[in-house]
Every structure is written in C-alpha cells, then in structure tokens.
Amino acid sequence: MPALPITGLREVASPPRVRQGWADAREGFGAFLGSYRERLQHIFGTRASADQLNLQRGLPPFVLRQVREVDPLSVWIPEAYGGRGGYMPEALSVLEETGYQSLPLCLMMGINGGLFAQPLSKYGSEEAKGHVLPNFLRHKQMGGLMITEPGFGSDALNMRTAYETTSHGSFHIKGMKHWGGLTGWADYWLLTARPRSSDGSLRRDVDFFVCDVNAPGQHIEVEEFYPNLGLWMIPYGLNKIDVTVPATARLEPKTTGIKMLLDILHRSRLQFPGMGMGFLRRMLDEAMDHARTRFVGGKPLFDYDQAKARLARLQAAVTACQAMCLHSAEQAGVERDLADSGLVANAFKTVATDLMQEAAQSFLQMVGAKGYRLDHPAGRAIVDSRPFQIFEGSNDILYQQITEAVLKGMRRMKASNLYQYLTEEPLTARAATALRDVLSFDVDATMPQRKLVELGKALGRIVSMEAVIELGERGFRPDLVANTLEEFRGEVRALLTTFREGGLVKVVEDYREAHGWLDYVRPAT
C-alpha cells in the first residue's frame, strides 16, 4: 500500500500519556495479569468445561469464586479504597484477557467495573465510596447499572422512574427498570431517576443513586427473568423499583446530571474495544487453526484465496481494536471529563461491535455446518456478540449521532466541504488525507436519517483509521497496520459510494394488496 500522504497537514498534537501512577504500577501489573490469565485458563481450559459453562443459564458459584480470588475488579477501584488504582490500561487488559476465554464473563467484568465501580469512584460521596468500594472487594460483591425502562430504551432521557426527597432528607425512588445485566445478582445498583416537581411533573435532569439491595428499604423486586437469546451466563429481567436510599447515596455531578450520564456512557463505550479485543483475538486464533487443519479438495482451507481474505479481515479487526485500546488507555481515564467526547466514543463502540459480529459470522462461514451449534465457539460467538451492537446505544442511533457531531463541528467552522473539515479535526486528520478523492464533497445538512446513518458508518471507520495510524507511528508491526488501513479504506470507499449514489427506497404501506407471485406464472408453451 502506498504511504499515507500526510505532508502539508498541520501538526496534530501528540496525545497526553496516562498519568504517572500507571507507570509506577506497571511492573507489578504484569504478574497480576499473568495470575488472572492462568486462572481463566484453568476454568475454561478444557473444551468440556467451556461447553458446560456456555450451555447453562447463569454461572456456577465456583467460577465466580475462583475468578474473584484473583479479583480482577480491583483494577477499576482507586488505591484509597483497596483497589489497584483505577488505571485504564489495566482495566482494558483485564477485559481483553477475559474476553478471550468468555465474552459473557467479560461483559460481567465490564458491567461491574465500567458501569458501577468507575462511576461510583468518580462521582460518589466520600461516605458512599468509603463504605461500598471496600466491601465490594472484601466480600466479593457485584454491582450494576439500571437505566433502561420498558418503553424508554434509547429514549433514556424521558425515563419515568422518579424520585422525591423525604422529610428525613433521604430519597424515595419509584419506577420500573429492565435489561439491567446481573438482574437479581448484584448487591449494589446505580439507579437512574428524574426529580419529581411539587406539581407531579418530572424535571429534565437525571440523577444517579447507589442502592444497597441488602439494606432495609432498598430491596429491588425482580418481577420477571428474561430468556435472553445469548449471553446465558448473565441474568436479565424486569425490576420493580420502590426503594428509599440515604442522602449520601446520591452521586455528585460536577455540573449537571445529564453531563454526568454522558461522561459515564462515553467512558464505558471507550472500553468496548477492551471487550472486543480478547473476543476478536479468539476468533482469529480459532479461524487460523481451523484453516490449517481443515482439508478441502486435498488441500488445507488456508490455501484457498477466499479463506485468506477472511483471515486477513480478521487480522485487520484485531489490529484496529488494538489501536482503539491504545487511544482509550490514554484518553479515557476517570480523571477526564468525557461528556463532550461523543464522536470518538460512539465511533469506537460502533466499529468495534460491528467488527465483533462480522468476525463471528466470518468464522462460522469458514467452519460450516459444524459451527452452527450452540456448543461450538462459532455458534456461541454469533449470539453472544450480537447484543453488543444494541446495548449502550443502538449502533444505528450512534452512527446518526456521529454524523450529527461532525455536522455540528462543520457549522462551528463554517465549513461545507467534508474533506476540508475532517483534515482539521485531530480525530480524523491523517486518515482523511488518504481518502481525499472520496471525501471532497459538500455535505447537505438536511439529509434524511438513513443518510445520516450511512455517513456515520464511514466516519466511524475514518476515526478508527486515525487510531490505527497512531498505533503504527508508535512502532506497531507495519504490515499489519498497512493491511488494516487498506481494509478500512476499501470499506469507507464503498460506504461513501452508497451514501452519495444510493437512492431513497420508499416503504409501500399497502403492500399486502399486491397479488402474489402465483398469479403471474405463465402456462408452459
């Protein structure tokens, strides 16, 4: 692939490195991560044990007990509360190791760490942190986050769960929540609710509260457990919220509750590459082993060009995810305010999860019929990776938001040409230069929603390409970087061709009135 033409660009400032504490802890972390890796290999090391764990609902107590003996969740918790320091490189590494062995267990780590421990450690009152976080580690407890409600999934800001301040200064929270991972298992929940005004209406802002389900008046009733299609290890369900929590249980936003919500969600989305990293590595390793040992027509599958194309694409996915992890490790720490980081957070979440599902589908295609079983890694991978494209923001919606963020930036710069704007945006500058021929057009800010989504897909991959370029400049293997950029460049070109030339197909509402095909069969002559 020809070198990327980056001459003539303004210099993009080097990203700030992670704080010094991580450098001090790095040597000891290697031994910690090695112990955790060995524990996971012991638990999931044999095919029989892996099948047994994958083919049952929930997780046997011995698994959680053995995992928590190493206590990977300590990487999300500050040292002051008994953790390892809350360093993002450690959190991403733990997610990667877990995801290689078990995607559902990896998601459990992500829920506990990214959606409970991190928000509490950043925004919790000193009393709440001092009580909850040490207990969380010492007693091997679990915590989760409840945002989604029946009827209010992606429309979270219109949630109906509400709270009122009692005469004693505590908060009474009432409502319904569902699809909270670890339903019925978690000892602590972060509950989201809107304040109720004196006239009964709900205010616009959102607040978070720590709920200790084992404390008096804080029990959460599970009305139904859902038979989720994949991720069988994790329970999901419908929860009735009618609890009273102390004043110290309320998280303390720096500005507004909505800004706090965005900071939490963006940080979580920037950790998706950690979960995707281990999963994609596993898909690549499994696919490579299969291609070398499966013979078709007297030669290994690896010798067929189409198989090589799939393997190359898998390698590109792994490389891209590593680039995202590098960026997140340096930019997504709890010391940063990520409320305004929607472009990169949404890009990484959407692209990483699309790559996960695509990798699973590709691996299954290579394996064939044998892979279409729940007890095969390919079959499990299909159903376990699919919801990652839905939860924490449906990818369709996030792609739309990516385009809207770029359009907002263009209006601020008074720019109409997409290429001009992207070469001035640090998250896309070098990658956009390599795509000048397809990006040099004026953008219609009034485009329909489907076009917002289509353009967002391309923009998300351009942001990811920028991260890959940075990874390459740090010294990562050049051939893998070049292959990844070539794969993504081809995909962006295809997406932009569809965006610019594709028509708007309309929905025919009265389609049932059309005759069936049988009416058009001609008699034999």
Side-chain angles (χ1 to χ4, degrees):
M1 186 187 77
L4 290 169
I6 63 174
T7 56
L9 281 181
R10 63 178 178 81
E11 183 177 350
V12 179
S14 298
R17 304 294 189 260
V18 290
R19 59 187 188 276
Q20 185 62 35
W22 156 242
D24 296 336
R26 185 169 185 171
E27 184 175 350
F29 178 64
F32 173 86
L33 190 64
S35 297
Y36 182 55
R37 183 185 302 116
E38 291 176 2
R39 182 58 55 90
L40 290 173
Q41 290 172 345
H42 172 72
I43 296 172
F44 295 94
T46 66
R47 180 64 185 273
S49 64
D51 288 347
Q52 181 183 7
L53 294 174
N54 284 329
L55 293 175
Q56 64 182 27
R57 295 279 178 182
L59 197 60
F62 83 89
V63 174
L64 280 178
R65 183 173 63 250
Q66 290 192 17
V67 168
R68 292 299 294 271
E69 283 176 359
V70 183
D71 222 342
L73 296 180
S74 63
V75 302
W76 279 277
I77 296 177
E79 293 177 85
Y81 306 103
R84 288 189 49 85
Y87 304 120
M88 188 58 70
E90 294 194 1
L92 293 168
S93 298
V94 164
L95 290 174
E96 178 181 352
E97 290 296 335
T98 314
Y100 188 88
Q101 298 292 344
S102 169
L103 189 57
L105 182 62
C106 179
L107 180 57
M108 290 176 64
M109 295 295 112
I111 292 170
N112 277 279
L115 293 179
F116 177 76
Q118 273 182 344
L120 179 59
S121 68
K122 180 170 184 175
Y123 293 107
S125 67
E126 285 302 320
E127 183 173 338
K129 290 188 290 188
H131 171 70
V132 173
L133 292 176
N135 283 338
F136 185 73
L137 291 176
R138 187 181 306 118
H139 301 301
K140 313 303 181 188
Q141 295 176 320
M142 292 197 292
L145 170 65
M146 288 188 182
I147 297 179
T148 304
E149 300 180 8
F152 299 93
S154 300
D155 190 20
L157 293 181
N158 284 314
M159 65 181 69
R160 299 289 95 186
T161 299
Y163 74 89
E164 296 177 300
T165 305
T166 70
S167 58
H168 302 290
S170 56
F171 299 104
H172 179 215
I173 309 167
K174 193 170 184 179
M176 302 293 292
K177 298 287 187 182
H178 74 162
W179 286 115
L182 306 178
T183 291
W185 280 14
D187 302 277
Y188 298 102
W189 287 101
L190 287 182
L191 301 177
T192 54
R194 295 167 63 191
R196 188 180 297 281
S197 301
S198 56
D199 63 0
S201 62
L202 297 182
R203 299 176 193 167
R204 181 65 174 170
D205 210 8
V206 176
D207 282 292
F208 287 72
F209 302 88
V210 185
C211 177
D212 179 353
V213 299
N214 297 308
Q218 298 186 48
H219 173 70
I220 294 177
E221 179 183 350
V222 180
E223 291 198 346
E224 179 187 359
F225 282 103
Y226 294 158
N228 37 296
L229 179 64
L231 301 170
W232 284 7
M233 289 183 187
I234 304 176
Y236 292 90
L238 177 65
N239 303 270
K240 181 179 180 181
I241 312 297
D242 190 355
V243 300
T244 301
V245 300
T248 56
R250 182 181 179 181
L251 298 196
E252 302 169 349
K254 310 301 180 184
T255 53
T256 66
I258 291 178
K259 286 281 189 179
M260 177 171 60
L261 173 64
L262 289 174
D263 178 55
I264 291 169
L265 290 180
H266 290 165
R267 182 168 293 102
S268 177
R269 289 170 188 167
L270 284 168
Q271 292 174 78
F272 270 64
M275 291 187 283
M277 187 66 237
F279 175 81
L280 288 168
R281 279 180 45 224
R282 180 63 176 270
M283 292 295 97
L284 175 59
D285 288 350
E286 294 277 1
M288 288 287 283
D289 289 345
H290 177 76
R292 288 178 174 135
T293 58
R294 171 66 168 163
F295 280 73
V296 178
K299 61 181 182 179
L301 192 62
F302 187 84
D303 287 350
Y304 287 88
D305 187 60
Q306 177 60 17
K308 289 181 178 179
R310 290 189 180 277
L311 293 170
R313 178 67 178 170
L314 281 168
Q315 288 182 339
V318 170
T319 303
C321 218
Q322 292 192 77
M324 296 179 206
C325 285
L326 174 64
H327 180 98
S328 294
E330 296 181 349
Q331 302 291 344
V334 292
E335 71 278 4
R336 296 178 179 275
D337 181 2
L338 303 180
D340 295 326
S341 298
L343 176 57
V344 64
N346 292 347
F348 281 10
K349 189 272 183 184
T350 50
V351 175
T353 56
D354 279 358
L355 291 174
M356 290 167 67
Q357 176 64 190
E358 179 187 322
Q361 294 283 358
S362 193
F363 177 37
L364 176 59
Q365 194 69 30
M366 290 181 65
V367 172
K370 184 180 179 181
Y372 197 64
R373 293 171 47 147
L374 282 173
D375 61 350
H376 191 280
R380 293 300 323 168
I382 293 289
V383 293
D384 285 345
S385 65
R386 184 62 180 88
F388 282 72
Q389 295 173 297
I390 301 172
F391 57 58
E392 278 200 51
S394 167
N395 281 11
D396 275 0
I397 294 174
L398 297 186
Y399 280 131
Q400 176 181 338
Q401 291 178 358
I402 288 170
T403 299
E404 289 172 342
V406 168
L407 292 176
K408 182 178 179 180
M410 293 178 71
R411 287 193 297 271
R412 188 166 52 244
M413 280 184 55
K414 297 182 179 180
S416 59
N417 185 274
L418 184 61
Y419 172 76
Q420 175 191 351
Y421 173 77
L422 293 180
T423 54
E424 294 295 323
E425 165 59 61
L427 289 170
T428 56
R430 292 168 291 184
T433 304
L435 293 160
R436 181 171 187 167
D437 58 323
V438 293
L439 290 173
S440 296
F441 62 90
D442 289 346
V443 177
D444 178 7
T446 62
M447 70 183 81
Q449 185 183 32
R450 73 182 74 179
K451 290 297 182 180
L452 292 172
V453 174
E454 289 175 1
L455 183 55
K457 288 181 180 180
L459 292 169
R461 281 146 183 82
I462 294 171
V463 172
S464 302
M465 287 175 65
E466 187 73 21
V468 173
I469 293 171
E470 178 64 29
L471 180 68
E473 293 190 348
R474 301 282 185 95
F476 193 79
R477 186 167 170 168
D479 53 354
L480 290 174
V481 169
N483 287 346
T484 303
L485 292 174
E486 185 64 28
E487 283 280 351
F488 272 64
R489 186 154 52 181
E491 188 173 2
V492 170
R493 290 179 183 279
L495 287 167
L496 289 175
T497 297
T498 300
F499 167 74
R500 297 186 65 182
E501 299 179 5
L504 298 178
V505 179
K506 297 180 180 179
V507 176
V508 179
E509 295 191 39
D510 58 349
Y511 66 95
R512 288 191 179 92
E513 297 178 9
H515 294 290
W517 62 270
L518 193 58
D519 292 335
Y520 301 96
V521 174
R522 293 173 178 171
T525 57

